[in-house]
Amino acid sequence: MPSETHEFQAEVKKLLDLMIHSLYSNKDVFLRELISNASDALDRLRFEGLTHTELLPSGEFGIRLTADAEARTLVIEDNGIGMTREELVENLGTIARSGTLEFLRNQDGKDDQSPDLIGQFGVGFYASFMVADQVQVESRKAGEDKSCRWSTDGSGQYTLDDADLDAPGTRITLHLKDVDTEDGIQDYTDEWVVKGIVKRFSDFVSYPIHLTLMKKDEGEDVATPKSEDDPLNSMKAIWTRPASEVTDEEYKEFYTHVTHDHGDPLLRVATALEGTFEARALLYVPGMAPFDLYHREMAHRGIQLYVRRVFIMDECRELMPDYLRFIKGVVDSEDLSLNVSREILQQDRQIQAIRKHLVKKVLQSLAELRRDDEEKYLGFWAQFGPVLKEGLLLFDEKKERILDLVYAASTADDAKLTALDDYVDRMPEDQEAIYFVTGTSRDVLASSPHLEAFKDKGIEVLLLTDPVDEVWLQQMPPEYKGKRFQSVGRGEIDLKDTEDKDEAENKEEEEAYKDLMQAIRSALQEEVKEVRLSSRLKQSPSCLVLEEGDLSPQLEAMLRQAGQEVPDHKPILELNPDHAILKKLQSVFEANGTDSRIPDYAGLLLGQAILAEGGQLPDPAAFTQKLSALMAEAL
Ligand code: ADP
């Protein structure tokens, strides 16, 4: 094949630019990224080799680093799966990962490059450009005889040529930038520098990493390769070692290895399953939610599955339910067959058992975090709470355990969230239900007319604002600690209270307003299904309520957006019998039952009720016209 020159995808250019001018002080991580890629490539070949033994290399699987101080090059070589010419173009000339792409697109026009960029996205291979001004990748795919060379100086283009690798694998040659300790660039041809980095970042990589130094011995004119027999890394799978022997630093490095996140994890869960099936797991809750948390299909790396220390697959979804999709880490089973396929996994009893154990452990660890360090837990909740609540939609989960972890805003405290169980603890003995209101913003909810009577009586109400809240509270109203959940905007509210009007008074009031209610109802028959007197209003004249079982407007909008047919239903308009407007309207009505102001006021009362719950008026122009007319009249 002739030599070809290609342009990088625009996003790659941007990424390269960020790397070349990186302010990130920890440039040493480039080596970890390349070793990690090599280790992945070896994992993949080892896996392929289970069924296609002819692909396996003649010698041992491994990674070799060759440092040449004089030429100022560092070579990273593996005998893993390799890449074809097309794969080189695909993998190194474009960025496929949605989160990284999204970030780079958002980065447009911003100069303040965040030093955490590398941490957040694991820019992987491109990290080389922090330390090298020319990079060459030669690769040969296992099972093929041709090899190809990809090279670039990091400007806008790269070149493809034929190469002559004599065995499958990948060889990456970095032409190193000058040492610049102030900028964090060390001498990566120095034996001790290289050894130090490998030990620090890649000790647990499960393949041997060997070092060759190009050195002139005394009396020699040219440098010749000198290799040590012992690998630089201990290769101990970190999850097989007793936790007491693993340092926090090692756990953190391993976290970075599996997640490509250079930040600190929020929580670590190490656990072993014993008995009929044996497995070990080392799981993490990331410190920061990834960009694609809500694109379930795209969530990048999740749980890696190993069988007896052999890597089997990335993103093993079967091991973690969707609502815990933010959990990352490794599961190593003792009993599964090395040949497991994704299809088999779906029905495998062992996988079910492992998954059940992991879910229990993760929820338990979160509960412990909550107990021991609530502030940190709230940091977790802010990032992952809405995802965790998706677990409340499932039928097969123990919802109580999830409900124990739920926090929500509340009328009890403007500044702080409250845990659901603390709410229940605070409930007065005669309060029968956990009261809540759902909507899109806490501020709108906090001033909702639905809450007036509750505030008046000092009854605490939870303010739930995640879209998922609409769904779990409505789909199957759950109970928690023996208490049902009751929306303050639904059905009839009966806040038994001795100071309130007694039944006889209520009856009397209803009788008195009966005809007016009828008149308002006929004025609004297109919009509401019922007009009635309210027991939940104190200051506001009107509010809308739903019947138990009706879809809330937010949920309705969500379902429509998702393309579902939603039956039309009308809300109920509740009016405050103690409000001046209603009293005056009653006198107007008594004087003349067909006074034209009655339908106008009815429309305004409805409009107010819609606005008060943050809704949109169906005809804002008509509303303002009516309002202006009435204002003019009143002046
Ligand atoms: P990531 O490893 O996070 O996917 P990279 O940019 O580091 O991202 O690498 C992009 C892709 O290039 C990898 O997913 C892999 O398919 C391929 N690749 C990189 N290094 C190697 C290697 N040493 N051997 C085989 N394939 C590799």
Side-chain angles (χ1 to χ4, degrees):
M1 285 272 260
S3 162
E4 293 170 22
T5 302
H6 291 245
E7 284 283 309
F8 280 115
Q9 182 194 22
E11 283 80 10
V12 179
K13 280 190 201 166
K14 214 173 283 173
L15 190 52
L16 284 173
D17 219 48
L18 283 173
M19 286 301 111
I20 291 167
H21 302 112
S22 174
L23 299 176
Y24 192 58
S25 54
N26 200 356
K27 301 213 159 54
D28 299 352
V29 300
F30 83 92
L31 189 54
R32 181 251 318 273
E33 299 294 325
L34 296 182
I35 289 176
S36 162
N37 280 348
S39 158
D40 289 350
L42 290 161
D43 280 342
R44 287 173 56 202
L45 182 56
R46 176 147 76 172
F47 183 63
E48 286 293 314
L50 295 172
T51 42
H52 302 279
T53 44
E54 72 283 2
L55 294 179
L56 292 172
S58 47
E60 194 192 15
F61 280 123
I63 299 168
R64 179 165 298 281
L65 310 178
T66 306
D68 187 333
E70 207 164 316
R72 291 216 41 77
T73 55
L74 179 66
V75 175
I76 297 96
E77 222 169 336
D78 66 71
N79 54 351
I81 189 95
M83 288 175 273
T84 62
R85 195 181 182 103
E86 291 69 35
E87 285 170 333
L88 279 166
V89 171
E90 180 70 16
N91 294 334
L92 307 184
T94 63
I95 298 175
R97 222 173 309 135
S98 56
T100 313
L101 273 182
E102 201 171 311
F103 175 83
L104 286 167
R105 288 182 182 147
N106 287 337
Q107 187 72 6
D108 270 343
K110 291 184 207 155
D111 317 323
D112 58 328
Q113 70 151 298
S114 135
D116 281 342
L117 169 80
I118 301 170
Q120 248 175 300
F121 303 105
V123 288
F125 168 75
Y126 301 103
S128 330
F129 292 90
M130 294 194 296
V131 300
D133 40 28
Q134 253 194 66
V135 176
Q136 203 179 59
V137 181
E138 294 160 285
S139 199
R140 178 168 145 191
K141 179 95 178 185
E144 315 224 342
D145 355 301
K146 284 218 183 83
S147 59
C148 179
R149 179 182 308 108
W150 176 103
S151 45
T152 183
D153 60 3
S155 57
Q157 299 170 329
Y158 60 92
T159 309
L160 293 170
D161 291 296
D162 288 335
D164 48 10
L165 294 187
D166 48 22
T170 300
R171 175 156 73 204
I172 298 178
T173 306
L174 306 180
H175 295 268
L176 297 164
K177 291 187 189 174
D178 289 336
V179 175
D180 180 349
T181 37
E182 223 161 78
D183 197 26
I185 302 182
Q186 304 199 66
D187 183 359
Y188 302 111
T189 62
D190 181 275
E191 175 178 357
W192 299 105
V193 170
V194 173
K195 282 183 172 168
I197 301 175
V198 171
K199 201 72 199 153
R200 168 133 190 262
F201 292 121
S202 310
D203 193 54
F204 41 75
V205 166
S206 52
Y207 303 94
I209 303 170
H210 285 283
L211 179 63
T212 299
L213 295 166
M214 299 301 289
K215 269 202 293 213
K216 269 187 228 163
D217 270 347
E218 241 171 86
E220 283 181 350
D221 289 342
V222 282
T224 52
K226 313 268 184 310
S227 305
E228 279 177 36
D229 290 340
D230 290 336
L232 307 184
N233 55 330
S234 74
M235 290 184 278
K236 274 199 191 145
I238 193 167
W239 59 90
T240 61
R241 294 163 53 193
S244 57
E245 287 174 17
V246 183
T247 65
D248 282 349
E249 158 108 275
E250 284 175 300
Y251 273 129
K252 196 200 144 198
E253 285 312 332
F254 184 70
Y255 166 73
T256 305
H257 177 74
V258 286
T259 59
H260 292 198
D261 173 7
H262 295 225
D264 285 317
L266 203 120
L267 186 66
R268 179 176 81 224
V269 183
T271 176
L273 179 66
E274 275 144 16
T276 333
F277 305 127
E278 281 185 34
R280 280 169 187 277
L282 178 54
L283 307 176
Y284 297 88
V285 176
M288 223 174 6
F291 268 107
D292 50 10
L293 186 60
Y294 291 97
H295 303 215
R296 276 186 230 184
E297 293 316 311
M298 293 191 225
H300 186 47
R301 275 159 207 262
I303 308 285
Q304 296 183 342
L305 175 66
Y306 282 71
V307 172
R308 292 181 293 283
R309 259 70 60 213
V310 176
F311 171 86
I312 304 296
M313 66 180 75
D314 262 331
E315 293 182 53
C316 186
R317 280 160 211 248
E318 289 73 17
L319 285 170
M320 216 31 94
D322 264 349
Y323 72 93
L324 294 177
R325 61 182 172 276
F326 50 85
I327 301 283
K328 312 276 165 173
V330 167
V331 174
D332 188 359
S333 149
E334 290 299 320
D335 314 289
L336 283 171
S337 142
L338 285 171
N339 290 314
V340 286
S341 66
R342 290 201 186 260
E343 292 68 51
I344 294 176
L345 283 182
Q346 277 165 15
Q347 308 125 24
D348 192 276
R349 276 182 48 236
Q350 291 186 48
I351 292 284
Q352 307 292 341
I354 297 173
R355 169 177 151 140
K356 209 169 142 202
H357 174 81
L358 297 180
V359 168
K360 195 172 104 196
K361 271 289 169 198
V362 167
L363 295 180
Q364 231 171 44
S365 305
L366 287 170
E368 280 161 20
L369 177 67
R370 192 199 139 199
R371 192 193 58 207
D372 301 340
D373 187 346
E374 194 184 32
E375 201 173 312
K376 195 165 174 197
Y377 181 81
L378 285 168
F380 158 80
W381 183 254
Q383 309 237 25
F384 302 106
V387 178
L388 193 66
K389 281 189 282 190
E390 288 176 21
L392 296 168
L393 306 176
L394 304 178
F395 291 104
D396 59 341
E397 296 294 328
K398 289 228 166 21
K399 297 195 186 159
E400 189 94 2
R401 285 189 310 202
I402 301 177
L403 288 169
D404 280 340
L405 295 168
V406 168
Y407 274 67
S410 141
T411 51
D413 190 332
D414 290 343
K416 259 180 64 199
L417 299 184
T418 176
L420 207 52
D421 67 355
D422 291 337
Y423 175 100
V424 174
D425 285 348
R426 282 192 297 269
M427 278 168 71
E429 219 159 282
D430 58 348
Q431 184 178 330
E432 284 168 4
I434 300 169
Y435 292 110
F436 70 90
V437 56
T438 54
T440 45
S441 115
R442 178 189 174 137
D443 290 343
V444 173
L445 290 182
S447 47
S448 154
H450 296 135
L451 296 182
E452 289 170 2
F454 291 85
K455 282 189 191 153
D456 205 55
K457 297 195 167 63
I459 300 174
E460 184 180 353
V461 177
L462 298 174
L463 313 171
L464 294 155
T465 50
D466 290 321
V468 63
D469 294 323
E470 299 282 343
V471 196
W472 70 268
L473 282 160
Q474 195 157 353
Q475 186 189 54
M476 199 182 75
E479 282 208 345
Y480 180 63
K481 305 210 162 171
K483 303 285 180 187
R484 69 195 161 82
F485 287 83
Q486 167 73 51
S487 162
V488 301
R490 272 175 198 282
E492 306 260 6
I493 290 284
D494 179 16
L495 296 175
K496 292 188 200 84
D497 193 318
T498 42
E499 290 164 30
D500 265 6
K501 302 164 199 166
D502 62 25
E503 231 160 272
E505 280 173 300
N506 276 334
K507 268 252 147 55
E508 225 170 88
E509 206 162 51
E510 248 168 60
E511 201 47 47
Y513 279 111
K514 199 172 123 214
D515 293 335
L516 176 62
M517 292 294 117
Q518 194 54 44
I520 295 176
R521 202 195 128 144
S522 42
L524 300 176
Q525 56 185 336
E526 297 295 317
E527 289 102 336
V528 301
K529 74 171 147 198
E530 196 187 324
V531 179
R532 68 184 182 210
L533 295 181
S534 183
S535 58
R536 59 190 111 208
L537 294 172
K538 291 288 160 187
Q539 293 84 29
S540 302
S542 61
C543 70
L544 289 175
V545 301
L546 296 170
E547 265 183 317
E548 292 299 346
D550 276 351
L551 294 180
S552 71
Q554 291 88 345
L555 187 55
E556 224 176 81
M558 267 162 56
L559 292 172
R560 288 224 165 89
Q561 218 171 20
Q564 296 206 29
E565 293 256 338
V566 183
D568 268 330
H569 68 81
K570 298 175 189 163
I572 296 164
L573 180 66
E574 284 196 356
L575 299 173
N576 181 355
D578 301 322
H579 199 281
I581 297 186
L582 222 68
K583 290 187 171 153
K584 291 195 177 156
L585 208 53
Q586 172 74 354
S587 349
V588 171
F589 181 73
E590 276 167 9
N592 173 9
T594 55
D595 192 307
S596 69
R597 283 175 297 177
I598 306 251
D600 279 351
Y601 271 87
L604 286 170
L605 285 167
L606 172 65
Q608 280 192 19
I610 296 175
L611 289 176
E613 61 179 43
Q616 293 203 333
L617 296 172
D619 187 353
F623 180 82
T624 37
Q625 252 166 31
K626 256 183 230 166
L627 187 62
S628 314
L630 286 163
M631 282 168 81
E633 215 172 287
L635 283 171

